[in-house]
Amino acid sequence: MSSLLQASSQDINNTDSDLFLTRRIKLIEELWESVLKVECGQELVDLLQQLRSMGSPEGQATGLPTSSVPKLIEELPLNDAVRAARAFALYFQLINIVEQHYEQREQQLNRQVSYQPLQGEKLQEEDTQSVLGAEFLEKSWQGNSTYQKAGTFNWLFPYLNKLNVPPQLIQRLLNQLDIRLVFTAHPTEIVRQTIRKKQRRISGILQHIDYSEMVAQNLGFLESPEAMESTEQLKEEIRLWWRTDELHQFKPEVLDEVDYALHYFQEVLFDTIPHLSKRLKQALNQSFKELTPPKNNFCRFGSWVGADRDGNPSVTPAVTWETACYQRGIVLERYLDSVRRLITLLSLSLHWSDVLPELLESLEQDRAVMPEVYEGLAIRYRREPYRLKLAYIEQRLKNTIHRNQCLSSEESAPAEVMERHHQTLYHSGEEFLAELQLIQRNLTETGLTCQDLEHLICQVEIYGFNLTELDMRQESSRHSDTLDEITEYLQILPKSYNELDESERVEWLTQELKTRRPLIPGELHFSEKTNETVETFRLLRKLQQEFGQQVCQTYIISMSHEVSDLLEVLLLAKEAGIYDPGTGSCSLQVVPLFETVDDLLRAPSVMKALFELPLYRACLAGGYGKEKEKGEYDIQEVMLGYSDSNKDSGFLSSNWEIHKAQKALQRLAEGYGVSLRIFHGRGGSVGRGGGPTYEAILAQPSSTINGRIKITEQGEVVASKYSLPELALYHLETATTAVIQGSLLGSGFDDIASWNEIMEKLAARSRQHYRALIYEEPDFLDFFLSVTPIQEISQLQISSRPARRQGGKKDLSSLRAIPWVFSWTQTRFLLPAWYGVGTALKDFLEEESERNYDQNLKLLRYFYLKWPFFRMAISKVEMTLAKVDLQIAHHYLKELANPEDHERFERIFQQIADEYYLTSDLVRLVTNHEKLLDGDPDLQRSVQLRNRTIVPLGFLQVSLLKRLREYSNQSASGVIHFRYSKEELLRGALLTLNGIAAGMRNTG
């Protein structure tokens, strides 16, 4: 075979599943190569083969003679370099599709076999006598154990049964099960919507090929004409893709990002989510027939897209309003389609089926308010009550959609028209749900069921009329600056609000929150920022009035430092009518986001001071003297930021401080009778808290979960999890399983004091070494700006949000964590995800004397085996190290740094290289792996497969960045000697950014 990546196929184990993957990769490679031959000629294919020879079998750049690699690249005409970059980027996109297709196929096959965790094997007595769940955590991570299906409902509930977990504990947890996944629009997803649609079509073609081959095989045929036809269609699709522009034609606006995020709901999630509830019910019933399953909406989605204002001036009140209308429009249209299907399906006649009197009464009421529907359909649906009822429902949905369109476009319908339609439309999802449940009760009473109706009811219970819950977010200083300007205008404070110390602020804010007297005038005569902040809270009130409180109940304060940060938001909410000082009730949950390490350390004291305030406790309780119904709790949501804490202190320190903060906050909340919901602000990359969701949840302190968790889903993570239905369902099932499992089967290892002391030392040493390079090395900022494509990333049209805070100053404090991680990923340093870990491990191993080395190593290996937190941290570091390529990274330095900077930059690079080799050696020592990722052969194969083809893309990127920067330098001098324009060079560089991002899969 002439495929460029023939070696990759030889690396795959010859199991049935791997053979299937091998065949699919081979098919894609051959089609990719044939398309390139037709479109560009044999010369390009030969060039790609030559470029790819730069990589070793392990996927690293080879130590080729210094002159040969750059010479080959530098001599390429720009057109050839761009075509090569596009070809490799296309390859990665196709491989991503194949891997997702393979993962989905595996999940479908797995569901066809028994999921019993211990087939033919009984639990040993010592397993049940050990710390509950500890043995499971150990065994489920062993590649050859019998726990191969861990992470699914059909595994979980039989296992809980065998462990004799009390059913009442399971029931209590199921009653409060609350999983929230929040989509965000952070600029890590750089694939155009147009390309996403092509990817979905290709995935569909692959599924058709699978089915055709299976049918042919079952019939005893060697070949399938249908599969061959689909293969030609696949080739045609790849050709069309090759001729499509990969880059955004314009900088996305916020509503473009809204459309992108909601694409996954329209294509996959809207129909998939109800199956999650069905799977849980079926699995629970098999093991615990007496238990009641959770409500259908135990897993819900939120969104920041169109509501997150932190650092994004494009998110205005008008944009948020339009976002809410757009979401409602999508869900109403889907409900309308479902109702029309039910009209076709529920053709029951009064001749052959009885109905309850309440349905007939309902039809009479509908006839009175919608006589035109009756007159038009009375004959057609004569003696077909269900169809007639559904026709009324259909018309109400149409009227509701029309009203929503008027609200979205800011058209004002005449008052008499709105009054006339008041009873002929739905004002909430609850009204729509009640009518569907009326039909369901009638069917049940006559011994019938309707799966389509049950499916629709489940969707309404989950999505309501809002599809997702919008979370507002704004940076803390925006609120203090707003109050500073308002109080200065009113002259009501003896000095500027921003000059007050914390105790003075809290005292004044508390007094203002107790009075009904307005603070902010109706007409706003302030600066644009202050007016926008006040208008945001007024919009919030308007949103809740129109869409219901559930449309937006969360206001997140990024960079939360003090008690006043939360009280400021509460005061602005009071001014908008959201908080009532008389009753103490508030329809908005104020959520602090603790991001830096200092803020994480301060978080318990901040929350303690808040819990001590009677007005704040009343706020959590729903008002003064509010009595809770059984099963209700005062819930405080707290968000913890992985991105900025990692940028601030490094990977190990960040994760440990978040781990500690969770435990401290949980203890505090329990002491005040408050239920805590932790909101994990995880990104796609390891440097921003990313990683497998199932393992990540199990690595949390078990006492902090209690059936509740909230997690951000960002960037390319959304595409990798939710592009295909079965894959989306699997990810949701594993997340739910982990929440239940982590809540009930706590290992207890998080509370071992001596282990915590060791982790404290490791984290502190890691942070010290990380900050010594990032923040204390005077040449580091110049190094970062020179050897990474950070300048070019800011020009990539991938997000509506700027890459920097505070006016775009070129320093690390203003740079957002996302482009920070993106830059290091492109250059194959991946520095934020591992730097400092090796030094911390080394210092611990050599602590006190070399005689303790073996004992300390045994202890770290025991941590890795037994302690979920430590294992997860080391596994993430191991995966990141496997993606690092210092040969490529050093090439960025040699080619992009100015000659006069080489000496000082080489010193920094050597420091990074020393830490990399130390970390790699010690991670392999702790994990007992000969090579990185030996414990996960599938991931190892995938990383090596990608690494080999990223190597030439890295060289191409360096060449194009070098030319682009030379052009910019010449342009600044006024004399340009280039045959290509800046736009052409920038376009080529950005294509390589796209390609490497696709190859690495987790960009930022």
Side-chain angles (χ1 to χ4, degrees), residues 972-984:
S973 68
V975 181
I976 301 177
H977 299 289
F978 261 82
R979 56 183 293 196
Y980 306 110
S981 68
K982 180 181 179 180
E983 289 70 26
E984 289 175 306

Side-chain angles (χ1 to χ4, degrees), residues 173-233:
L173 183 74
L174 294 177
N175 291 343
Q176 64 189 42
L177 190 61
D178 184 9
I179 298 163
R180 305 189 184 194
L181 305 171
V182 182
F183 282 22
T184 74
H186 286 304
T188 59
E189 177 48 70
I190 66 175
V191 179
R192 287 181 64 199
Q193 183 77 305
T194 300
I195 300 299
R196 279 282 172 234
K197 291 178 180 178
K198 292 188 178 298
Q199 292 171 340
R200 289 187 59 79
R201 283 197 292 273
I202 287 177
S203 180
I205 295 171
L206 287 172
Q207 284 182 297
H208 193 265
I209 292 174
D210 291 350
Y211 177 75
S212 300
E213 288 182 348
M214 180 187 69
V215 171
Q217 185 178 10
N218 289 340
L219 294 174
F221 298 144
L222 295 177
E223 293 183 344
S224 165
E226 291 80 7
M228 294 171 66
E229 182 179 343
S230 295
T231 301
E232 284 301 311
Q233 185 184 359

Side-chain angles (χ1 to χ4, degrees), residues 471-670:
D471 282 358
M472 295 279 194
R473 185 176 73 139
Q474 183 57 278
E475 202 260 332
S476 59
S477 65
R478 186 68 174 269
H479 310 122
S480 58
D481 290 345
T482 295
L483 291 176
D484 183 72
E485 184 175 349
I486 292 170
T487 53
E488 188 71 22
Y489 172 80
L490 297 174
Q491 294 291 299
I492 59 175
L493 290 175
K495 57 182 176 181
S496 165
Y497 176 79
N498 280 342
E499 292 178 358
L500 298 176
D501 63 29
E502 176 63 12
S503 62
E504 292 172 327
R505 286 192 186 192
V506 170
E507 182 180 359
W508 180 77
L509 290 166
T510 303
Q511 292 305 314
E512 283 295 322
L513 284 165
K514 291 178 179 177
T515 176
R516 291 187 183 276
R517 170 187 50 77
L519 175 69
I520 303 175
E523 291 189 19
L524 303 178
H525 304 286
F526 308 109
S527 66
E528 184 179 348
K529 283 188 176 181
T530 294
N531 288 346
E532 197 274 338
T533 303
V534 174
E535 290 290 357
T536 295
F537 283 89
R538 291 178 178 178
L539 167 78
L540 235 167
R541 165 79 167 168
K542 182 182 174 184
L543 281 170
Q544 292 188 347
Q545 288 176 329
E546 169 59 34
F547 296 87
Q549 291 184 7
Q550 64 273 21
V551 70
C552 183
Q553 301 180 90
T554 302
Y555 194 102
I556 300 161
I557 309 165
S558 56
M559 290 295 168
S560 290
H561 309 298
E562 305 286 356
V563 170
S564 60
D565 292 328
L566 280 78
L567 297 183
E568 287 164 0
V569 170
L570 213 52
L571 178 56
L572 292 168
K574 187 205 94 170
E575 292 299 307
I578 299 170
Y579 171 74
D580 185 345
T583 64
S585 62
C586 184
S587 59
L588 189 69
Q589 170 88 249
V590 182
V591 177
L593 167 51
F594 299 109
E595 300 182 76
T596 67
V597 166
D598 288 341
D599 290 334
L600 289 168
L601 292 169
R602 196 184 299 116
S605 62
V606 170
M607 298 312 300
K608 184 178 190 301
L610 282 165
F611 293 158
E612 291 286 345
L613 288 174
L615 67 86
Y616 191 80
R617 284 305 307 273
C619 221
L620 293 181
Y624 294 112
K626 180 75 178 293
E627 293 186 5
K628 292 291 181 186
E629 295 182 9
K630 186 177 181 180
E632 286 190 326
Y633 307 89
D634 293 349
I635 295 180
Q636 171 67 61
E637 186 173 302
V638 175
M639 186 171 183
L640 305 178
Y642 289 72
S643 304
D644 283 283
S645 59
N646 191 302
K647 180 168 166 274
D648 176 51
S649 66
F651 172 78
L652 195 60
S653 173
S654 166
N655 278 264
W656 179 240
E657 293 302 336
I658 289 173
H659 196 80
K660 287 196 305 178
Q662 289 184 73
K663 293 197 294 182
L665 288 168
Q666 180 62 35
R667 286 194 298 269
L668 176 73
E670 287 175 352

Side-chain angles (χ1 to χ4, degrees), residues 135-152:
E135 290 299 315
F136 156 72
L137 290 170
E138 176 183 345
K139 292 180 180 178
S140 66
W141 275 319
Q142 304 304 312
N144 296 320
S145 78
T146 53
Y147 293 80
Q148 291 297 317
K149 302 300 183 293
T152 61

Side-chain angles (χ1 to χ4, degrees), residues 665-715:
L665 288 168
Q666 180 62 35
R667 286 194 298 269
L668 176 73
E670 287 175 352
Y672 282 91
V674 173
S675 294
L676 192 67
R677 177 167 57 231
I678 299 293
F679 186 0
H680 297 267
R682 304 170 71 231
S685 63
V686 169
R688 294 186 53 245
T693 303
Y694 177 71
E695 288 84 352
I697 293 174
L698 289 180
Q700 306 308 315
S702 57
S703 62
T704 67
I705 302 176
N706 294 323
R708 299 186 188 91
I709 201 165
K710 192 171 179 180
I711 305 171
T712 52
E713 298 281 43
Q714 300 181 6

Side-chain angles (χ1 to χ4, degrees), residues 303-539:
S303 177
W304 284 9
V305 192
D308 179 12
R309 329 178 105 63
D310 180 15
N312 193 347
S314 300
V315 182
T316 62
V319 165
T320 303
W321 176 263
E322 195 168 346
T323 298
C325 291
Y326 184 36
Q327 290 193 168
R328 181 160 68 178
I330 286 175
V331 79
L332 289 175
E333 292 287 353
R334 293 302 299 265
Y335 292 157
L336 186 59
D337 291 340
S338 297
V339 167
R340 286 169 174 164
R341 285 195 297 272
L342 287 173
I343 290 175
T344 302
L345 186 64
L346 295 179
S347 56
L348 289 76
S349 169
L350 286 175
H351 286 297
W352 310 111
S353 181
D354 295 329
V355 295
L356 298 179
E358 62 174 340
L359 178 57
L360 297 177
E361 292 171 6
S362 171
L363 289 172
E364 286 301 316
Q365 294 169 1
D366 291 337
R367 179 181 179 180
V369 296
M370 288 185 283
E372 69 281 1
V373 175
Y374 180 80
E375 292 168 5
L377 297 172
I379 296 177
R380 177 187 298 180
Y381 294 153
R382 186 170 179 269
R383 304 194 68 77
E384 291 181 343
Y386 291 102
R387 279 183 162 174
L388 187 57
K389 180 60 184 177
L390 287 164
Y392 287 125
I393 291 175
E394 179 186 17
Q395 187 59 49
R396 278 198 171 94
L397 282 174
K398 287 180 180 179
N399 294 341
T400 308
I401 289 170
H402 175 68
R403 179 174 181 275
N404 187 65
Q405 290 169 343
C406 291
L407 289 170
S408 178
S409 59
E410 299 184 350
E411 295 179 10
S412 297
E416 62 271 16
V417 174
M418 297 307 297
E419 180 63 28
R420 187 168 69 247
H421 286 295
H422 180 76
Q423 290 183 299
T424 65
L425 52 77
Y426 294 114
H427 299 88
S428 68
E430 287 76 14
E431 294 179 3
F432 177 50
L433 179 62
E435 298 219 272
L436 296 177
Q437 290 173 334
L438 170 63
I439 296 175
Q440 185 185 45
R441 283 197 302 275
N442 274 264
L443 291 172
T444 303
E445 287 294 324
T446 57
L448 294 174
T449 60
C450 177
Q451 290 189 12
D452 283 29
L453 177 61
E454 292 173 0
H455 192 81
L456 177 58
I457 288 173
C458 186
Q459 288 173 322
V460 179
E461 289 176 340
I462 294 168
Y463 296 115
F465 272 9
N466 296 320
L467 191 62
T468 74
E469 298 178 18
L470 293 174
D471 282 358
M472 295 279 194
R473 185 176 73 139
Q474 183 57 278
E475 202 260 332
S476 59
S477 65
R478 186 68 174 269
H479 310 122
S480 58
D481 290 345
T482 295
L483 291 176
D484 183 72
E485 184 175 349
I486 292 170
T487 53
E488 188 71 22
Y489 172 80
L490 297 174
Q491 294 291 299
I492 59 175
L493 290 175
K495 57 182 176 181
S496 165
Y497 176 79
N498 280 342
E499 292 178 358
L500 298 176
D501 63 29
E502 176 63 12
S503 62
E504 292 172 327
R505 286 192 186 192
V506 170
E507 182 180 359
W508 180 77
L509 290 166
T510 303
Q511 292 305 314
E512 283 295 322
L513 284 165
K514 291 178 179 177
T515 176
R516 291 187 183 276
R517 170 187 50 77
L519 175 69
I520 303 175
E523 291 189 19
L524 303 178
H525 304 286
F526 308 109
S527 66
E528 184 179 348
K529 283 188 176 181
T530 294
N531 288 346
E532 197 274 338
T533 303
V534 174
E535 290 290 357
T536 295
F537 283 89
R538 291 178 178 178
L539 167 78

Side-chain angles (χ1 to χ4, degrees), residues 153-171 174 280-294 740 744-745:
F153 298 143
N154 282 330
W155 169 84
L156 174 67
F157 292 113
Y159 187 69
L160 295 177
N161 199 0
K162 287 182 178 292
L163 284 179
N164 293 319
V165 177
Q168 60 268 30
L169 288 182
I170 301 174
Q171 185 65 70
L174 294 177
L280 192 152
K281 289 176 183 176
Q282 291 170 355
L284 180 67
N285 185 59
Q286 289 176 2
S287 298
F288 298 95
K289 295 184 183 298
E290 72 281 9
L291 296 186
T292 304
I740 298 172
L744 294 173
L745 304 182

Side-chain angles (χ1 to χ4, degrees), residues 109-138:
L109 291 175
N110 286 340
R111 293 201 64 80
Q112 296 174 14
V113 298
S114 173
Y115 271 46
Q116 296 300 321
L118 296 175
Q119 294 178 1
E121 182 178 329
K122 295 182 179 179
L123 276 174
Q124 298 299 314
E125 185 173 349
E126 60 264 28
D127 287 345
T128 59
Q129 297 299 321
S130 65
V131 179
L132 192 60
E135 290 299 315
F136 156 72
L137 290 170
E138 176 183 345

